[in-house]
Amino acid sequence: MNADLAPAPSPLALARAEILELKPYEHAAWEPALERLHANELPWRSSGDATLAGLNRYPEPQPRALVERLASLYGVTPAEVLVGRGSDEAIDLLTRAFCRAGADSVIICPPTFGMYAVAARIQGAAVVRVPLDAGRGFALDARAVLEGAGGSVKLVYVCSPNNPTGTLAEEAALLKLAGALAGRALLVVDEAYIEFSGAPSLARHVAAHSHLAVVRTLSKAHGLAGARCGTLIAAPEVVALLRKIIPPYALTQPTIETVLAALEPAQLEASRQRVALIRAERERLAAALQDIPGVERVYPSVANFLLAEFGDASAACARARAAGILVRDVRSQPGLGRHLRITVGTPEQNARLLAALARPADEQGAAP
Ligand SMILES: *Cc1c(COP(=O)(O)O)cnc(C)c1O
């Protein structure tokens, strides 16, 4: 038999049978031209309601204008877009749709973002760890991932650029992995920081790779963490499946309106300029950190944070805090026993952090 002639396996073959069969909640029809006497809402706005649509109304589920705007932002079709409350919601929905409690598992590549494992545990799925290769600058071990992806594994998470190492996985390696995983597991590439890298997103490859899903967020480069808006880009059948299980009115009306306004061309241009500033600051901060005694290593990063190894990470953390600055202690992560993750801030914040870390130990805590 010629393998080339075999139909591509559908990613839905990996999904939980009860989710495939689920009849979703039927939310109130969205027909804005008609009077709404079908949803038990109050007919009046309350005072102070400055939204365009009115907070007395349930919002549009998967708002069409927002889905279309995000599809165009990410260069994909609306049918490939699921919009939810941050990427965290996409990760949660994927886990619940694909992993049977007590039976299935996910692969994560530590050190990495914590939510993949947390979502798996909440669902009762096992977590299989395939560590990044610390000896090769935290590179993805694609061969080990593929070897581990047998049997119960349904989802494989790769964070690129990776949090907290700041490293980008090679596009060719990811595409090859997605192809090799077809029929076995869905490759989920979390691109929360891709805008800071200058590298293209894998989103444009989702159409040709049924077992590739890409997670994007407005929380980082777009400066909208408080709005809670993230996007899953996946095969239309996967998006349709997750639309069945997302809570009926997941996005609030203020979020929908705020995000649409923030994605206007002028706002996007301002956002690109802020990203350019952060990238320049990242390089400046990395170089300056490198020169501070007690900083043993600063890893190259393509994200908006730096991973650094310290002779005494807890002392460095305390110095930053004494200067009124929080940095992230990542020492509980495998291979990062002496490391901190530092978000790139404004030039002023970065200068303050550098000054705090550079101050000799005997001046610590001295009155100003
Ligand atoms: C910050 C971050 C996100 C963003 O999560 P949201 O829920 O969209 O705010 C996603 N993935 C990683 C790796 C992150 O660091």
Side-chain angles (χ1 to χ4, degrees), residues 60-74 78 81-84 218 224 227-231 243 251-263:
E60 182 184 4
Q62 292 297 296
R64 187 199 303 235
L66 185 55
V67 167
E68 285 173 357
R69 193 73 65 87
L70 289 166
S72 114
L73 179 67
Y74 297 138
V81 164
L82 179 89
V83 54
L218 299 179
L224 291 170
R228 309 306 303 130
C229 186
T231 303
R243 280 184 184 166
L251 293 170
T252 70
Q253 191 62 32
T255 292
I256 297 166
E257 294 181 11
T258 300
V259 170
L260 279 173
L263 297 181

Side-chain angles (χ1 to χ4, degrees), residues 85-89 91 113 116 159 163 190 192-193 216-220 225 228-230:
R85 290 164 293 184
S87 356
D88 290 337
E89 181 146 60
I91 293 162
F113 188 49
Y116 318 134
C159 187
N163 176 4
D190 183 345
Y193 301 97
R216 303 286 302 262
T217 182
L218 299 179
S219 294
K220 306 289 161 51
R228 309 306 303 130
C229 186

Side-chain angles (χ1 to χ4, degrees), residues 241-321:
L241 182 74
L242 300 187
R243 280 184 184 166
K244 295 208 306 185
I245 63 168
I246 193 169
Y249 307 101
L251 293 170
T252 70
Q253 191 62 32
T255 292
I256 297 166
E257 294 181 11
T258 300
V259 170
L260 279 173
L263 297 181
E264 290 291 336
Q267 305 303 321
L268 289 177
E269 180 48 36
S271 168
R272 274 190 284 274
Q273 286 174 17
R274 288 192 293 266
V275 167
L277 176 62
I278 291 292
R279 290 175 56 158
E281 273 302 296
R282 173 183 74 205
E283 300 314 315
R284 225 180 51 81
L285 181 61
L289 273 173
Q290 201 87 68
D291 288 340
I292 290 178
V295 177
E296 309 220 321
R297 185 165 175 191
V298 180
Y299 292 76
S301 168
V302 298
N304 68 332
F305 54 80
L306 294 167
L307 180 69
E309 182 177 3
F310 290 80
D312 185 345
S314 78
C317 227
R319 285 180 178 208
R321 178 178 266 280

